[in-house]
Every structure is written in C-alpha cells, then in structure tokens.
Amino acid sequence: MVINVGPQHPSTHGVLRLILTLDGEQIVACEPVIGYLHRGLEKMMERRPYRHNIPFTDRLDYLAALSNNLGICQCIERLGGVEVPERAQYIRVLLMELQRIASHLVFLGTFGTDLGATTMFLYAFREREMVLDLLEECTGARLTYNWVRVGGVPDDLPEGFGQKVLDFAKLFRQRIEEYDMLLTRNRIFRSRTQGVGVLPKETALAYGCSGPVARASGIPYDIRKVAPYEVYDRVEFDVPVFEDGDVWARYLVRMEELRQSLRIIEQVLRDMPDGPVQTKLPKIFKPPAGIAYSRVESPRGELSFMMVSDGSPNPVRVHIRAPSFVNLSVLPRLLEGAKVADLVAILGSIDVVLGEIDR
Amino acid sequence: MNQAIENLLQRFGEAVIEWTQVSPNEVRLTVSASHWRDIAQYLHDDPLWQMDYPADLTVWDTGNEFGVYLRLWSSVYNHNVVVLTSISREEARIASLATLYPGVDWHEREMYDMYGVIFEGHPNLKRILLPDDWEGFPFRKDYVAEPSGNPLHGPQPVN
C-alpha cells in the first residue's frame, strides 16, 4: 500500500512530503519529496553584492539564523582575506552557542510532542524564551537576527549582558536536570527511542551525515574540533559521541551538547578581551577572483558555504551545503523495515529544517 | 600527506592539471573531467587517502563553461581534498559518483535540476527541488526568468 505523508502534516516539521510504500505495518520504501519552500536563494545571491546576502541566510535554517550568518560571513572573509578582531570572534562564539541552545530546545520540545510527551514542549519553550530574550537584547531580533557582519559583528554586547548570560547558564543547568527527569528517565520515552532507527557508522559516513546524526553513529565529526574556527580552539569542551546510532543516541548527543554549550559560554565570557569588534572595509567590496569555502558546525551539522568570485562586486556562485539536506537523504535507508509508528520518532530525531533543505 | 600526493600524481600524471597544498591537511586538485570518476575512486580506495566522507558537490556557471567542485574528508586522517574540474556548457556531462558516495546522490540531482548537468551512471537522475515539468535550468547564467515560461497551474494528481 502506498500512503502519502505531508506536505501539510504536523509531524513533518515543515513542508516535507514522504511517499511511503507499506507492507502491513512495515515501511518497505520511502521517497522524500522536497522543494515546496524553494526560493532560489543561491541565484538571488548571485545578483547582489556580497554583503547584501547576509539577510537571506536568516531564512535558511530559521531556527539557527546566527550560524548561517556566520557561515556566509566566514566564506566572504576567506575570499577577501579579511581579518576579524579578537573580541568579535569571542562574541561570535558566545552567540553561536546561545543559538545552539535555542535550536536544541526546539528539537527537545517538538520531539517530545511528536512522541506524546507534551509537557516537554512547555518546559523547553519556557527556557528557549529566555535565550531569545537574551539574543533580542543583543541583536534586536528574535528569529532573523542578521547580526554577524563581514569582518566582525555590528556592535558590542550591551551593558551587563555577560552577567545575564551567566545567570541564565546557572539556572539552565538545573533545568537540564528537569528535562532528564521528564524524558531521559522516562520509561515510555526510552522504549519508543532505544533501538529504533539505527544508522550504522558506515552508512552515516557514506551518506555524508554530519552533526548530532553522525556523532550518534560513532563518527567524532564536529567542525569545531576537526577544523576549528573563530576561538573554538581556545575553549575546552567535549564532543559527545555515541556508538548505537539509534534515535535514543541522537537525543542523548543533543542533551549533552546543551551542557557543553554552557561550558563554552562560561569560558568565553571569562576570557573575552576588550577591543574593537569590526574591521573597516571599503564601501564597495571586491574580493579577488577565486574559490573559497567555509565550514561551520550549525546545530544540525556541517553547514558549508562555497563561493566563486571573478573579482567583481557580485559573487559568480554561492552554494550552500545545508546539513539537513544531506541528513535527510539518509532517511529512506533509515525507514527501510521500520514500523509506521516509528516514522515520527525517526524523522524527528534527524531534526530537519525545511528552510535550508529547499533553500 | 606528501607521499599520498606523490602517488596520486604518479598514478594519474597529466590528468591532474594543477594541485596546491592549502594547509597541512588540505589539498586542492584541478583534474581533467575525463578522469573524474577514476580519481574519486582512487581517493576513496587508496590506503594513504581513504577519503570516505563526501562533504559537498556543486556546479557553477562561468558563462563559458561549468565548473564542478567536490569536497571530500577522510575520517581516518582528518584530511580534506577539494577536487575541481570544468566541463563544456553544450555537452554538460560528467561521470556520476553516486554509486561510490551515496551522499552525493542528492547533490547531483540538485545540480541536474538547476544546471541540467547530466551525471552519467546516476541511478535516479530526476528533478529534486523544482516540479518535474519545469522548463529550463534556472541557475544557468542565460536562463530567462519569465513567469510565462513556467506558468502557475493547479494541484497535480497524487501519483
């Protein structure tokens, strides 16, 4: 039997359509249909000067807009050989980790709801609201921040921001314990996730999976460690890696990353030097001809921008390697032989954002 | 990494047009399109390379030709390789790597969708982001983005 899931379906996290071939309760084949949100952003970027493209990236992965801002800015910086002041690098890392917490909290909330644990949604969004308040105070926006600039960040942190972040970190450590009580030690939650949707290490490698999906399958692939950018090589943190590759492991990776993000935030606030936050750049920015790429560990995995320049003010090509796009391509393999009832758990554990899949 | 590069140059000779070592663990190769698949296979299989992770694949249009960009990572050595080549705009054909690296399957479909590049040997080369009946390849530099070329239509029957 063939059944259609989506594109308007509450558990597909956006406009994803799946064509499932079933044999009774078992999924025999799955064909994801994407492109409902395709806006041709890459082509639009070719027609604008380099720095005008930063707001577009907010609309890629809209749950982690800052990571996308950073990705494109790093790519332009590499293309033009732009140096970033040290303080700006620290501010960037601080904001990236706050963003990671906010994004993982959306995952926790929606994933809990997907599995019927509705309370988790209320808890996770309560804390996410606090992160968004912090980010709003700094950037002026709650979702589409457009805050990172080529050569730094547009402005310094507001007064007293560091203390507010530290207060939040202190409170959030306790809140993570509450999540553990609600989900991690919940027997129903465990039996719905353990051993479900197993992604073997070889498959994850061959498909180019990244982020928590890869790390849950035993691949220690974290761009912050394998190719450190900004000041990630100066802070201490662990990369959680689990071997099982099931939905449970992907959940655990994200839970552990919340704690590691707090560690990074506290170190960054401790070590942040004073100084300028932006490099002066010419009004008309023309990087030399060439090809450059950047890699950023977004909450969903390896986000990579690749740009081709011919020396003119506009890029010849902007390519976005969206982590969700690649992670979703492994879904048919994951669903082969799975039960229909596990579909939502497996899809939710990949944590896709359709904005960056369709671009 | 030096030994690995030396072996590669010896094995493929003229097919590697240019190479630069960007950093201690990254090398950028410009290769001839006719050896695209062979070089990828070599990088994948050779014990000194073991580029087992397909990170990225894309195409760009310079107006005269298409450039192809492939980025690989090795989980064993933490090495990065960027492989570049160029193909003619009229032919727009290159060997597919989808059977070697399942991860580039969707990237190749997307590039077919946007540029009309035929990846020879791809198991399922069809449009991925645009509707199946879309006319033209919108990321080509000479594409005319007129709404009349692809008028809006009502809902399509489900399979």
Side-chain angles (χ1 to χ4, degrees), chain A residues 181-212:
Chain A
M181 279 199 293
L182 260 172
L183 287 183
T184 320
R185 279 177 240 145
N186 182 331
R187 280 175 65 184
I188 304 168
F189 180 77
R190 281 193 175 205
S191 55
R192 290 271 335 248
T193 53
Q194 282 176 332
V196 172
V198 176
L199 178 65
K201 187 179 177 183
E202 298 74 41
T203 316
L205 259 183
Y207 273 84
C209 294
S210 55

mmCIF file of all heavy atoms in Angstrom, chain A residues 181-212:
data_model
loop_
_atom_site.group_PDB
_atom_site.id
_atom_site.type_symbol
_atom_site.label_atom_id
_atom_site.label_comp_id
_atom_site.label_asym_id
_atom_site.label_seq_id
_atom_site.Cartn_x
_atom_site.Cartn_y
_atom_site.Cartn_z
ATOM 1 N N MET A 181 14.661 14.311 34.048
ATOM 2 C CA MET A 181 13.600 13.620 34.776
ATOM 3 C C MET A 181 12.398 13.355 33.871
ATOM 4 O O MET A 181 11.770 12.314 33.944
ATOM 5 C CB MET A 181 13.175 14.456 35.987
ATOM 6 C CG MET A 181 14.117 14.281 37.152
ATOM 7 S SD MET A 181 13.389 14.778 38.695
ATOM 8 C CE MET A 181 13.197 16.508 38.516
ATOM 9 N N LEU A 182 12.118 14.342 33.023
ATOM 10 C CA LEU A 182 10.931 14.223 32.176
ATOM 11 C C LEU A 182 11.107 13.208 31.046
ATOM 12 O O LEU A 182 10.204 12.442 30.754
ATOM 13 C CB LEU A 182 10.620 15.577 31.544
ATOM 14 C CG LEU A 182 9.516 16.397 32.182
ATOM 15 C CD1 LEU A 182 9.492 17.764 31.542
ATOM 16 C CD2 LEU A 182 8.167 15.730 31.997
ATOM 17 N N LEU A 183 12.266 13.247 30.404
ATOM 18 C CA LEU A 183 12.449 12.410 29.210
ATOM 19 C C LEU A 183 13.485 11.308 29.420
ATOM 20 O O LEU A 183 13.191 10.136 29.219
ATOM 21 C CB LEU A 183 12.869 13.267 28.017
ATOM 22 C CG LEU A 183 11.795 14.147 27.391
ATOM 23 C CD1 LEU A 183 12.373 14.854 26.175
ATOM 24 C CD2 LEU A 183 10.589 13.338 26.960
ATOM 25 N N THR A 184 14.708 11.696 29.804
ATOM 26 C CA THR A 184 15.792 10.711 29.823
ATOM 27 C C THR A 184 15.463 9.537 30.733
ATOM 28 O O THR A 184 15.812 8.402 30.444
ATOM 29 C CB THR A 184 17.106 11.378 30.272
ATOM 30 O OG1 THR A 184 17.195 12.662 29.667
ATOM 31 C CG2 THR A 184 18.293 10.550 29.869
ATOM 32 N N ARG A 185 14.782 9.819 31.849
ATOM 33 C CA ARG A 185 14.481 8.725 32.773
ATOM 34 C C ARG A 185 13.032 8.256 32.631
ATOM 35 O O ARG A 185 12.500 7.624 33.535
ATOM 36 C CB ARG A 185 14.778 9.178 34.206
ATOM 37 C CG ARG A 185 16.258 9.067 34.512
ATOM 38 C CD ARG A 185 16.556 9.572 35.900
ATOM 39 N NE ARG A 185 17.478 10.687 35.839
ATOM 40 C CZ ARG A 185 17.441 11.725 36.668
ATOM 41 N NH1 ARG A 185 16.528 11.794 37.601
ATOM 42 N NH2 ARG A 185 18.319 12.692 36.553
ATOM 43 N N ASN A 186 12.438 8.592 31.508
ATOM 44 C CA ASN A 186 11.054 8.202 31.263
ATOM 45 C C ASN A 186 11.034 6.867 30.521
ATOM 46 O O ASN A 186 11.576 6.747 29.420
ATOM 47 C CB ASN A 186 10.398 9.314 30.429
ATOM 48 C CG ASN A 186 8.954 9.054 30.150
ATOM 49 O OD1 ASN A 186 8.530 7.914 30.071
ATOM 50 N ND2 ASN A 186 8.194 10.109 29.993
ATOM 51 N N ARG A 187 10.403 5.857 31.104
ATOM 52 C CA ARG A 187 10.476 4.517 30.503
ATOM 53 C C ARG A 187 9.752 4.449 29.174
ATOM 54 O O ARG A 187 10.180 3.737 28.259
ATOM 55 C CB ARG A 187 9.914 3.484 31.482
ATOM 56 C CG ARG A 187 10.938 3.111 32.529
ATOM 57 C CD ARG A 187 10.359 2.207 33.559
ATOM 58 N NE ARG A 187 9.981 0.924 32.997
ATOM 59 C CZ ARG A 187 9.371 -0.018 33.700
ATOM 60 N NH1 ARG A 187 9.070 0.192 34.963
ATOM 61 N NH2 ARG A 187 9.063 -1.164 33.146
ATOM 62 N N ILE A 188 8.646 5.156 29.071
ATOM 63 C CA ILE A 188 7.913 5.135 27.799
ATOM 64 C C ILE A 188 8.763 5.777 26.705
ATOM 65 O O ILE A 188 8.896 5.256 25.596
ATOM 66 C CB ILE A 188 6.574 5.874 27.938
ATOM 67 C CG1 ILE A 188 5.764 5.272 29.076
ATOM 68 C CG2 ILE A 188 5.797 5.822 26.635
ATOM 69 C CD1 ILE A 188 4.567 6.101 29.464
ATOM 70 N N PHE A 189 9.360 6.909 27.059
ATOM 71 C CA PHE A 189 10.215 7.600 26.086
ATOM 72 C C PHE A 189 11.360 6.706 25.650
ATOM 73 O O PHE A 189 11.683 6.607 24.464
ATOM 74 C CB PHE A 189 10.748 8.890 26.718
ATOM 75 C CG PHE A 189 11.627 9.688 25.813
ATOM 76 C CD1 PHE A 189 11.079 10.465 24.798
ATOM 77 C CD2 PHE A 189 13.006 9.674 25.965
ATOM 78 C CE1 PHE A 189 11.895 11.201 23.960
ATOM 79 C CE2 PHE A 189 13.817 10.411 25.122
ATOM 80 C CZ PHE A 189 13.264 11.168 24.126
ATOM 81 N N ARG A 190 11.957 6.024 26.602
ATOM 82 C CA ARG A 190 13.079 5.142 26.273
ATOM 83 C C ARG A 190 12.656 4.021 25.336
ATOM 84 O O ARG A 190 13.326 3.724 24.348
ATOM 85 C CB ARG A 190 13.663 4.526 27.541
ATOM 86 C CG ARG A 190 14.557 5.467 28.267
ATOM 87 C CD ARG A 190 15.323 4.688 29.311
ATOM 88 N NE ARG A 190 16.294 5.556 29.960
ATOM 89 C CZ ARG A 190 17.397 5.107 30.535
ATOM 90 N NH1 ARG A 190 17.649 3.824 30.555
ATOM 91 N NH2 ARG A 190 18.231 5.928 31.089
ATOM 92 N N SER A 191 11.539 3.401 25.646
ATOM 93 C CA SER A 191 11.162 2.265 24.808
ATOM 94 C C SER A 191 10.721 2.724 23.418
ATOM 95 O O SER A 191 10.778 1.949 22.467
ATOM 96 C CB SER A 191 10.063 1.433 25.476
ATOM 97 O OG SER A 191 8.980 2.262 25.793
ATOM 98 N N ARG A 192 10.311 3.986 23.287
ATOM 99 C CA ARG A 192 9.970 4.480 21.952
ATOM 100 C C ARG A 192 11.210 4.837 21.139
ATOM 101 O O ARG A 192 11.133 5.009 19.914
ATOM 102 C CB ARG A 192 9.091 5.732 22.049
ATOM 103 C CG ARG A 192 7.703 5.520 22.543
ATOM 104 C CD ARG A 192 6.645 5.208 21.500
ATOM 105 N NE ARG A 192 6.829 5.629 20.147
ATOM 106 C CZ ARG A 192 6.092 6.563 19.563
ATOM 107 N NH1 ARG A 192 5.167 7.191 20.220
ATOM 108 N NH2 ARG A 192 6.278 6.857 18.292
ATOM 109 N N THR A 193 12.365 5.035 21.816
ATOM 110 C CA THR A 193 13.534 5.526 21.096
ATOM 111 C C THR A 193 14.691 4.526 21.038
ATOM 112 O O THR A 193 15.431 4.510 20.068
ATOM 113 C CB THR A 193 14.062 6.818 21.748
ATOM 114 O OG1 THR A 193 14.265 6.586 23.142
ATOM 115 C CG2 THR A 193 13.080 7.960 21.590
ATOM 116 N N GLN A 194 14.859 3.698 22.061
ATOM 117 C CA GLN A 194 16.032 2.824 22.081
ATOM 118 C C GLN A 194 15.905 1.727 21.032
ATOM 119 O O GLN A 194 14.869 1.059 20.939
ATOM 120 C CB GLN A 194 16.215 2.218 23.475
ATOM 121 C CG GLN A 194 16.835 3.210 24.426
ATOM 122 C CD GLN A 194 16.958 2.696 25.833
ATOM 123 O OE1 GLN A 194 16.175 1.864 26.254
ATOM 124 N NE2 GLN A 194 17.927 3.203 26.565
ATOM 125 N N GLY A 195 16.966 1.582 20.252
ATOM 126 C CA GLY A 195 16.976 0.552 19.225
ATOM 127 C C GLY A 195 16.134 0.865 18.004
ATOM 128 O O GLY A 195 15.990 0.029 17.115
ATOM 129 N N VAL A 196 15.574 2.066 17.950
ATOM 130 C CA VAL A 196 14.724 2.458 16.819
ATOM 131 C C VAL A 196 15.546 3.298 15.849
ATOM 132 O O VAL A 196 16.316 4.155 16.261
ATOM 133 C CB VAL A 196 13.506 3.271 17.339
ATOM 134 C CG1 VAL A 196 12.726 3.858 16.186
ATOM 135 C CG2 VAL A 196 12.633 2.404 18.198
ATOM 136 N N GLY A 197 15.355 3.036 14.553
ATOM 137 C CA GLY A 197 16.011 3.849 13.533
ATOM 138 C C GLY A 197 17.516 3.830 13.633
ATOM 139 O O GLY A 197 18.161 4.877 13.666
ATOM 140 N N VAL A 198 18.098 2.645 13.640
ATOM 141 C CA VAL A 198 19.545 2.537 13.811
ATOM 142 C C VAL A 198 20.262 2.899 12.515
ATOM 143 O O VAL A 198 19.955 2.375 11.452
ATOM 144 C CB VAL A 198 19.937 1.115 14.266
ATOM 145 C CG1 VAL A 198 21.449 0.992 14.345
ATOM 146 C CG2 VAL A 198 19.302 0.797 15.600
ATOM 147 N N LEU A 199 21.208 3.822 12.637
ATOM 148 C CA LEU A 199 22.025 4.241 11.498
ATOM 149 C C LEU A 199 23.446 3.747 11.732
ATOM 150 O O LEU A 199 24.155 4.274 12.584
ATOM 151 C CB LEU A 199 22.000 5.773 11.380
ATOM 152 C CG LEU A 199 22.829 6.401 10.271
ATOM 153 C CD1 LEU A 199 22.290 6.011 8.916
ATOM 154 C CD2 LEU A 199 22.843 7.911 10.404
ATOM 155 N N PRO A 200 23.883 2.710 10.975
ATOM 156 C CA PRO A 200 25.241 2.196 11.197
ATOM 157 C C PRO A 200 26.289 3.231 10.801
ATOM 158 O O PRO A 200 26.037 4.114 9.980
ATOM 159 C CB PRO A 200 25.314 0.980 10.268
ATOM 160 C CG PRO A 200 23.932 0.714 9.819
ATOM 161 C CD PRO A 200 23.179 1.990 9.922
ATOM 162 N N LYS A 201 27.459 3.091 11.400
ATOM 163 C CA LYS A 201 28.528 4.067 11.183
ATOM 164 C C LYS A 201 28.906 4.182 9.699
ATOM 165 O O LYS A 201 29.084 5.279 9.180
ATOM 166 C CB LYS A 201 29.752 3.640 12.010
ATOM 167 C CG LYS A 201 30.862 4.647 11.997
ATOM 168 C CD LYS A 201 32.030 4.198 12.850
ATOM 169 C CE LYS A 201 33.153 5.217 12.755
ATOM 170 N NZ LYS A 201 34.342 4.818 13.485
ATOM 171 N N GLU A 202 28.999 3.040 9.009
ATOM 172 C CA GLU A 202 29.437 3.055 7.614
ATOM 173 C C GLU A 202 28.437 3.823 6.753
ATOM 174 O O GLU A 202 28.815 4.595 5.866
ATOM 175 C CB GLU A 202 29.585 1.626 7.057
ATOM 176 C CG GLU A 202 30.607 0.766 7.758
ATOM 177 C CD GLU A 202 30.155 0.297 9.127
ATOM 178 O OE1 GLU A 202 28.967 -0.067 9.255
ATOM 179 O OE2 GLU A 202 30.973 0.326 10.068
ATOM 180 N N THR A 203 27.140 3.598 7.023
ATOM 181 C CA THR A 203 26.122 4.291 6.243
ATOM 182 C C THR A 203 26.198 5.792 6.494
ATOM 183 O O THR A 203 26.120 6.596 5.560
ATOM 184 C CB THR A 203 24.721 3.779 6.629
ATOM 185 O OG1 THR A 203 24.778 2.365 6.726
ATOM 186 C CG2 THR A 203 23.692 4.191 5.622
ATOM 187 N N ALA A 204 26.355 6.169 7.762
ATOM 188 C CA ALA A 204 26.418 7.593 8.089
ATOM 189 C C ALA A 204 27.599 8.249 7.381
ATOM 190 O O ALA A 204 27.486 9.360 6.864
ATOM 191 C CB ALA A 204 26.531 7.777 9.596
ATOM 192 N N LEU A 205 28.728 7.542 7.315
ATOM 193 C CA LEU A 205 29.905 8.088 6.628
ATOM 194 C C LEU A 205 29.655 8.216 5.138
ATOM 195 O O LEU A 205 29.894 9.259 4.540
ATOM 196 C CB LEU A 205 31.100 7.161 6.848
ATOM 197 C CG LEU A 205 32.150 7.535 7.883
ATOM 198 C CD1 LEU A 205 33.257 6.510 7.858
ATOM 199 C CD2 LEU A 205 32.709 8.916 7.662
ATOM 200 N N ALA A 206 29.148 7.150 4.537
ATOM 201 C CA ALA A 206 28.983 7.132 3.088
ATOM 202 C C ALA A 206 27.970 8.171 2.633
ATOM 203 O O ALA A 206 28.071 8.696 1.525
ATOM 204 C CB ALA A 206 28.554 5.740 2.629
ATOM 205 N N TYR A 207 26.974 8.465 3.473
ATOM 206 C CA TYR A 207 25.957 9.449 3.094
ATOM 207 C C TYR A 207 26.375 10.868 3.469
ATOM 208 O O TYR A 207 25.649 11.808 3.187
ATOM 209 C CB TYR A 207 24.613 9.104 3.744
ATOM 210 C CG TYR A 207 23.798 8.142 2.923
ATOM 211 C CD1 TYR A 207 24.019 6.783 3.018
ATOM 212 C CD2 TYR A 207 22.822 8.589 2.034
ATOM 213 C CE1 TYR A 207 23.287 5.894 2.263
ATOM 214 C CE2 TYR A 207 22.088 7.705 1.279
ATOM 215 C CZ TYR A 207 22.318 6.354 1.394
ATOM 216 O OH TYR A 207 21.601 5.482 0.632
ATOM 217 N N GLY A 208 27.502 11.009 4.121
ATOM 218 C CA GLY A 208 27.937 12.355 4.477
ATOM 219 C C GLY A 208 27.114 12.987 5.570
ATOM 220 O O GLY A 208 26.940 14.201 5.593
ATOM 221 N N CYS A 209 26.573 12.180 6.489
ATOM 222 C CA CYS A 209 25.801 12.739 7.598
ATOM 223 C C CYS A 209 26.727 13.541 8.505
ATOM 224 O O CYS A 209 27.901 13.226 8.639
ATOM 225 C CB CYS A 209 25.152 11.634 8.415
ATOM 226 S SG CYS A 209 23.924 10.748 7.485
ATOM 227 N N SER A 210 26.186 14.559 9.126
ATOM 228 C CA SER A 210 27.006 15.387 9.998
ATOM 229 C C SER A 210 26.194 15.778 11.220
ATOM 230 O O SER A 210 25.016 15.475 11.321
ATOM 231 C CB SER A 210 27.485 16.631 9.247
ATOM 232 O OG SER A 210 26.389 17.323 8.710
ATOM 233 N N GLY A 211 26.844 16.463 12.117
ATOM 234 C CA GLY A 211 26.162 16.937 13.313
ATOM 235 C C GLY A 211 25.780 15.815 14.248
ATOM 236 O O GLY A 211 26.392 14.752 14.254
ATOM 237 N N PRO A 212 24.740 16.026 15.063
ATOM 238 C CA PRO A 212 24.341 15.006 16.028
ATOM 239 C C PRO A 212 24.016 13.655 15.378
ATOM 240 O O PRO A 212 24.229 12.613 15.999
ATOM 241 C CB PRO A 212 23.089 15.606 16.672
ATOM 242 C CG PRO A 212 23.254 17.072 16.520
ATOM 243 C CD PRO A 212 23.966 17.270 15.225
#
